[in-house]
Amino acid sequence: MNLFVGNLPFTTSDHDLRGLFEPFGQVDSARVITDRETGRSRGFGFVEMPDDAGRAAIEELDGSDMGGRNIVVNEARPKR
DNA sequence: CATGAGCGC
């Protein structure tokens, strides 16, 4: 399933994201979205993983603390 | 190359 991860610290990298979700299951892909013009982080990202692992990750990570901020994790919407 | 609600090229 596709997961949307928001409210991330600007210092969070795609690898950091993967490390967060790996404990819950196979991480198909994990990436933090960066601004195409400046390259700086937009503070949110996407993670793809099995359905069961995704549901577990949402319950454990949504609202959890990361870098001093409470991150948001929920199912992502279809790409625009 | 800036910044803080929002959904990726």
Side-chain angles (χ1 to χ4, degrees):
Chain A
M1 74 186 290
N2 284 46
L3 299 176
F4 170 81
V5 188
N7 202 40
L8 296 169
F10 292 119
T11 53
T12 304
S13 68
D14 53 351
H15 183 265
D16 293 323
L17 249 194
R18 171 176 287 269
L20 267 181
F21 289 82
E22 268 177 344
F24 301 95
Q26 183 72 25
V27 177
D28 181 59
S29 75
R31 63 174 180 180
V32 174
I33 305 305
T34 53
D35 192 287
R36 64 170 182 80
E37 297 180 55
T38 66
R40 66 174 171 75
S41 172
R42 282 192 179 180
F44 71 92
F46 291 93
V47 176
E48 296 179 50
M49 65 198 317
D51 178 73
D52 57 319
R55 278 187 270 101
I58 290 175
E59 294 185 36
E60 290 296 325
L61 297 178
D62 182 41
S64 70
D65 181 89
M66 180 185 183
R69 295 165 184 77
N70 283 74
I71 66 175
V72 177
V73 182
N74 46 51
E75 189 170 4
R77 295 175 175 166
K79 263 201 241 176
R80 221 178 357 178

